[in-house]
C-alpha cells in the first residue's frame, strides 16, 4: 500500500516540476475521426495479410473410427470492417472498437480414413460478427515525440461457418464443428496481434515530428513534448517546448514560459497555440545572434522619397554638419539594444523594441565619421498568419520615440529628426523586416502534412490556430488537417 502510493507520488513529481509548454496542440474527436478513417484502411490491409497455417491431425469420428485430416492453403478472400469507433479515454489515450467485422477465407481439405479411403475438396469459411476492442496508449518517447501502443486488446469472433465443397457430405458434416473451432482459435489469436501491428505502424509517422526544426542560419525551434499528452473526453492535448534556440547553442533566455490555455472549444479538428514565450524566445535568439541589426545607405531608400541619406538632409536641424561634413553621403546603423518584446492580447499582437541608431558621414575615402547615436523606442503592431506549415507575420510601425544617446557634432533637438527617422523606418527597416517575417517559422508538423482551412486568432498570451474543417482531397477521401493526399503523413494507414 505504502509502496504503491510512493510510486504514484514519484510518478507525479516530474510532471509538476516540468516547464510550461510554449506550444500546445489539441487534437479533438473530430481530428481523431479523420485518423480513424485512415486507421481502418490500415487495419483492413493488415487483416488481409493473416496467414492461417495448415492444420492436420487425427480425429475419432464414429462409426468409422480415426480420420486423418488436413486443411491447407487457407487464404483470406475478403475482410470487411463496416463499423468502428475511436473514443477518447480520459487519462489514458483512445479506445478503438470494431464491430460487425467479417473475414472470408478459402482453403482445401483432405481426409483419409479406414486406412485406404481418401477424399478431398475445398472449403469456404465465413467469420462474422467479429469485434475487436483495444485501448491505445499515447505517450511521449525519450525524444519527446508521441508514441502509441495497444493495451488490453480483446477480439471475439461472433460466428464461424464453414462450407465444404466436393467429397462425401456425411463425412464433413461430422467434421464441421471441429474445423470451425480450430479456425476460430487460430484467428482469435492473430487479430489482436495484427491490430496492434497496425497501431504501432503509426510510430514511424509520429517519429517524423519535427522536434528540432531548422529555421534559418541563426535559429532552430524545438518542439519536443514537455509532458505526456493530456487526454480528456473531448480532446488530446500535447504540450511542446516551443522554444527557439541559436543553432548548436541551447542557451536558455532569462525568462520562462507562462502557463496559457487553448480555447476550450473542441468543434474544430485541430488547435495549435503558440505562446508569447515562443515569439520572445525567437526575439532573444536573433538578438543574441546579432541578427537584429541593419546598415542603411542611401541606395536602400526608394528613389521617389524626398529624404536622401546625406548630410545635406540634416543641415536644417544640425547646421554644424554643413561646416564639418559638407555634402557627404551618410550611413545609419540600426541595431536592437536588447531583445524585442512580443505581447499577445486579444486581437492584438505588439512588438516593442529598443534600438540604437548610429549615424555616420561617409568620407570620400570611405572612412566613417560618427555623427550621433540615438536611442530609439519603437512599438509595432503585428499581423500573424499561417502560410503552409509555417507561421508568418508582418509588422506595422505604430510609435517611435527618439532620445539622444551621444552626439559628436554638438547639441541639437532630437525631436526635429522624428519625421526623417519615421520615414526611414517605414521605407527601409519595416519592409526588410517584413520580408524576413513573411518567410515564416515552422509549426510542429508530422511528415509532409500541410494545414488547410486555418483560422488564426490572437488571444491572451498566445496565438491560436484552428484547423477549421475538412478539406477536399484528390483521392476523394475527406480529410481535415492535411490538404494533399499523397503527402498525408498518415497515408500509409
Ligand atoms: C579619410 O579622410 C578623412 C577626412 O578627410 C581623414 O580625416 C582620414 O584620416 C582619412 N583616412 C584615411 C585612412 O585616409
Amino acid at each position: 500500500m505504502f509502496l504503491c502510493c510512493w510510486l504514484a507520488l514519484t510518478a507525479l513529481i516530474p510532471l509538476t516540476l516540468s516547464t510550461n509548454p510554449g506550444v500546445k496542440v489539441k487534437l479533438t474527436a473530430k481530428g481523431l475521426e479523420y485518423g480513424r478513417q485512415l486507421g481502418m484502411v490500415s487495419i483492413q490491409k493488415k487483416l488481409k495479410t493473416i496467414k492461417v497455417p495448415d492444420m492436420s491431425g487425427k480425429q475419432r469420428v464414429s462409426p468409422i473410427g480415426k480420420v486423418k485430416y488436413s486443411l491447407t492453403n487457407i487464404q483470406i478472400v475478403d475482410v470487411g470492417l463496416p463499423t468502428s469507433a475511436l473514443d477518447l479515454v480520459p487519462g489514458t489515450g483512445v479506445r478503438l472498437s470494431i464491430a460487425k467485422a467479417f473475414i472470408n477465407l478459402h482453403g482445401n481439405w483432405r481426409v483419409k480414413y479406414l486406412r485406404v479411403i481418401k477424399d478431398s475438396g475445398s472449403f469456404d469459411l465465413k467469420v462474422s460478427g467479429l469485434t475487436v476492442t483495444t485501448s491505445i496508449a499515447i505517450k511521449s518517447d525519450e525524444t519527446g515525440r508521441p508514441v502509441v501502443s495497444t493495451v488490453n486488446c480483446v477480439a471475439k469472433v461472433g460466428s464461424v461457418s464453414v462450407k465444404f465443397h466436393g467429397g462425401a457430405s456425411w463425412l464433413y458434416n461430422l467434421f464441421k464443428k471441429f474445423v470451425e473451432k480450430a479456425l476460430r482459435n487460430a484467428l482469435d489469436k492473430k487479430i489482436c496481434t495484427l491490430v496492434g501491428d497496425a497501431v504501432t505502424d503509426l510510430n514511424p509517422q509520429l517519429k517524423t515530428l519535427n522536434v528540432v526544426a531548422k529555421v534559418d542560419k541563426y535559429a532552430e525551434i524545438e518542439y519536443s513534448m514537455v509532458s505526456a499528452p493530456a487526454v480528456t473526453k473531448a480532446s488530446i492535448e500535447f504540450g511542446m517546448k516551443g522554444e527557439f534556440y541559436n543553432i548548436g547553442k541551447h542557451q536558455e533566455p532569462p525568462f520562462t514560459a507562462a502557463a496559457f490555455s487553448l480555447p476550450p472549444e473542441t468543434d474544430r479538428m485541430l488547435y495549435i497555440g503558440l505562446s508569447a514565450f515562443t515569439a520572445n524566445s525567437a526575439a532573444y535568439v536573433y538578438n543574441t545572434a546579432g541578427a537584429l541589426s541593419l546598415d542603411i545607405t542611401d541606395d536602400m531608400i526608394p528613389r521617389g522619397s524626398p529624404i536622401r541619406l546625406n548630410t545635406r538632409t540634416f543641415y536644417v536641424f544640425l547646421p554644424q554638419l554643413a561646416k564639418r561634413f559638407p555634402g557627404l553621403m551618410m550611413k545609419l546603423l540600426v541595431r536592437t539594444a536588447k531583445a524585442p518584446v512580443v505581447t499577445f492580447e486579444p486581437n492584438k499582437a505588439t512588438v516593442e523594441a529598443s534600438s540604437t541608431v548610429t549615424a555616420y558621414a561617409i568620407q570620400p575615402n570611405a572612412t566613417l565619421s560618427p555623427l550621433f547615436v540615438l536611442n530609439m523606442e519603437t512599438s509595432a503592431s503585428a499581423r500573424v498568419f499561417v502560410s503552409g506549415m509555417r507561421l508568418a507575420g508582418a509588422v506595422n510601425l505604430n510609435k517611435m520615440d527618439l532620445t539622444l544617446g551621444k552626439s559628436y557634432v554638438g547639441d541639437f533637438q532630437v525631436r526635429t529628426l522624428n519625421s526623417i527617422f519615421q520615414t526611414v523606418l517605414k521605407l527601409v527597416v519595416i519592409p526588410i523586416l517584413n520580408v524576413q517575417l513573411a518567410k515564416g517559422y515552422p509549426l510542429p508538423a508530422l511528415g509532409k502534412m500541410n494545414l488547410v482551412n486555418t483560422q488564426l486568432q490572437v488571444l491572451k498570451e498566445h496565438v491560436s490556430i484552428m484547423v477549421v474543417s475538412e478539406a477536399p482531397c484528390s483521392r476523394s477521401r475527406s480529410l481535415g488537417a492535411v490538404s494533399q493526399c499523397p503527402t498525408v503523413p498518415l497515408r500509409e494507414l
Side-chain angles (χ1 to χ4, degrees):
M1 175 71 180
F2 175 77
L3 180 70
C4 122
C5 296
W6 184 79
L7 284 176
L9 259 178
T10 50
L12 282 174
I13 289 167
L15 291 178
T16 48
L17 289 182
S18 72
T19 46
N20 285 321
V23 167
K24 287 184 173 182
V25 174
K26 179 163 74 175
L27 181 68
T28 65
K30 255 191 192 166
L32 270 184
E33 171 56 22
Y34 160 69
R36 183 194 63 82
Q37 292 172 19
L38 294 172
M40 294 321 289
V41 176
S42 168
I43 290 173
Q44 187 164 17
K45 269 194 203 151
K46 277 274 182 249
L47 291 179
K48 279 184 180 163
T49 68
I50 292 182
K51 297 238 175 341
V52 184
D54 292 351
M55 290 174 207
S56 61
K58 287 177 198 157
Q59 175 79 355
R60 187 164 286 283
V61 176
S62 57
I64 53 168
K66 253 188 217 158
V67 176
K68 275 173 98 176
Y69 69 90
S70 66
L71 305 173
T72 57
N73 200 21
I74 307 167
Q75 309 269 349
I76 304 274
V77 180
D78 194 15
V79 175
L81 300 169
T83 312
S84 63
L86 203 52
D87 297 306
L88 288 154
V89 185
T92 315
V94 292
R95 183 176 44 235
L96 171 68
S97 324
I98 299 171
K100 297 180 188 166
F102 61 86
I103 305 175
N104 297 338
L105 304 101
H106 183 83
N108 298 325
W109 64 270
R110 182 180 297 277
V111 293
K112 190 176 168 187
Y113 56 100
L114 298 178
R115 288 180 191 276
V116 288
I117 305 172
K118 287 181 184 168
D119 204 352
S120 65
S122 65
F123 67 90
D124 288 305
L125 184 82
K126 283 191 196 301
V127 177
S128 52
L130 175 66
T131 63
V132 185
T133 310
T134 184
S135 294
I136 301 170
I138 305 170
K139 293 186 175 143
S140 168
D141 75 4
E142 66 287 351
T143 65
R145 293 176 168 94
V147 60
V148 289
S149 59
T150 51
V151 279
N152 300 328
C153 178
V154 180
K156 279 202 190 101
V157 170
S159 69
V160 177
S161 79
V162 66
K163 208 171 190 177
F164 291 97
H165 311 288
S169 63
W170 64 267
L171 176 64
Y172 47 64
N173 278 333
L174 291 172
F175 221 68
K176 195 171 173 325
K177 280 233 154 51
F178 172 75
V179 170
E180 286 172 354
K181 195 173 168 202
L183 285 167
R184 175 196 285 263
N185 283 343
L187 288 173
D188 266 352
K189 286 201 192 90
K190 301 228 158 173
I191 287 162
C192 275
T193 311
L194 288 163
V195 169
D197 289 350
V199 169
T200 49
D201 275 1
L202 269 173
N203 287 327
Q205 304 289 340
L206 297 175
K207 285 255 182 288
T208 65
L209 175 70
N210 51 348
V211 291
V212 178
K214 191 177 179 212
V215 181
D216 52 31
K217 65 178 173 180
Y218 302 107
E220 56 196 11
I221 179 166
E222 191 175 321
Y223 280 127
S224 56
M225 299 193 325
V226 295
S227 55
V231 185
T232 68
K233 60 182 195 298
S235 69
I236 308 177
E237 201 170 283
F238 301 88
M240 296 162 167
K241 205 163 188 188
E243 181 168 351
F244 280 74
Y245 286 108
N246 284 104
I247 282 183
K249 201 173 85 189
H250 281 205
Q251 186 192 342
E252 294 300 324
F255 48 84
T256 53
F260 74 97
S261 306
L262 284 174
E265 61 255 36
T266 52
D267 51 339
R268 316 288 173 63
M269 295 180 75
L270 187 70
Y271 295 77
I272 303 174
L274 282 105
S275 66
F277 168 78
T278 301
N280 282 312
S281 72
Y284 175 76
V285 160
Y286 286 103
N287 184 61
T288 307
L292 302 180
S293 75
L294 184 66
D295 277 334
I296 304 169
T297 44
D298 185 63
D299 56 302
M300 293 158 80
I301 295 176
R303 278 169 162 269
S305 164
I307 290 172
R308 301 310 333 163
L309 207 49
N310 53 34
T311 50
R312 207 168 289 126
T313 302
F314 292 86
Y315 286 172
V316 184
F317 318 107
L318 286 118
Q320 311 90 296
L321 292 188
K323 254 187 256 152
R324 290 182 54 193
F325 303 98
L328 294 182
M329 297 310 286
M330 285 174 64
K331 177 167 162 167
L332 301 174
L333 169 61
V334 182
R335 71 187 318 158
T336 48
K338 55 184 197 225
V341 176
V342 181
T343 48
F344 294 132
E345 291 165 61
N347 298 315
K348 195 172 162 204
T350 312
V351 185
E352 279 168 338
S354 303
S355 320
T356 58
V357 183
T358 310
Y360 300 93
I362 307 171
Q363 300 286 358
N365 62 8
T367 300
L368 297 177
S369 301
L371 305 177
F372 52 83
V373 182
L374 304 178
N375 300 317
M376 182 167 71
E377 300 292 323
T378 48
S379 175
S381 58
R383 193 167 63 82
V384 194
F385 54 94
V386 177
S387 164
M389 279 310 293
R390 297 169 87 84
L391 187 71
V395 292
N396 200 11
L397 184 67
N398 283 344
K399 221 172 90 192
M400 185 203 75
D401 274 319
L402 293 176
T403 51
L404 186 63
K406 184 169 185 155
S407 175
Y408 299 88
V409 290
D411 270 355
F412 62 95
Q413 285 291 313
V414 175
R415 202 169 29 82
T416 58
L417 302 183
N418 272 351
S419 77
I420 294 178
F421 282 94
Q422 274 201 13
T423 305
V424 169
L425 282 181
K426 284 184 176 165
L427 291 182
V428 182
V429 180
I430 301 279
I432 287 176
L433 185 58
N434 282 343
V435 167
Q436 286 306 313
L437 292 173
K439 290 178 184 166
Y441 303 91
L443 290 166
L446 291 174
K448 289 178 178 160
M449 76 185 273
N450 197 10
L451 297 175
V452 294
N453 281 352
T454 54
Q455 272 182 1
L456 187 142
Q457 254 188 314
V458 179
L459 300 166
K460 188 174 158 53
E461 288 284 338
H462 75 286
V463 169
S464 176
I465 300 163
M466 291 155 275
V467 177
V468 175
S469 62
E470 301 197 359
C473 160
S474 55
R475 267 192 303 179
S476 82
R477 189 188 299 147
S478 62
L479 292 173
V482 272
S483 65
Q484 297 147 354
C485 297
T487 58
V488 169
L490 308 177
R491 69 190 184 282
E492 293 307 329
L493 276 180

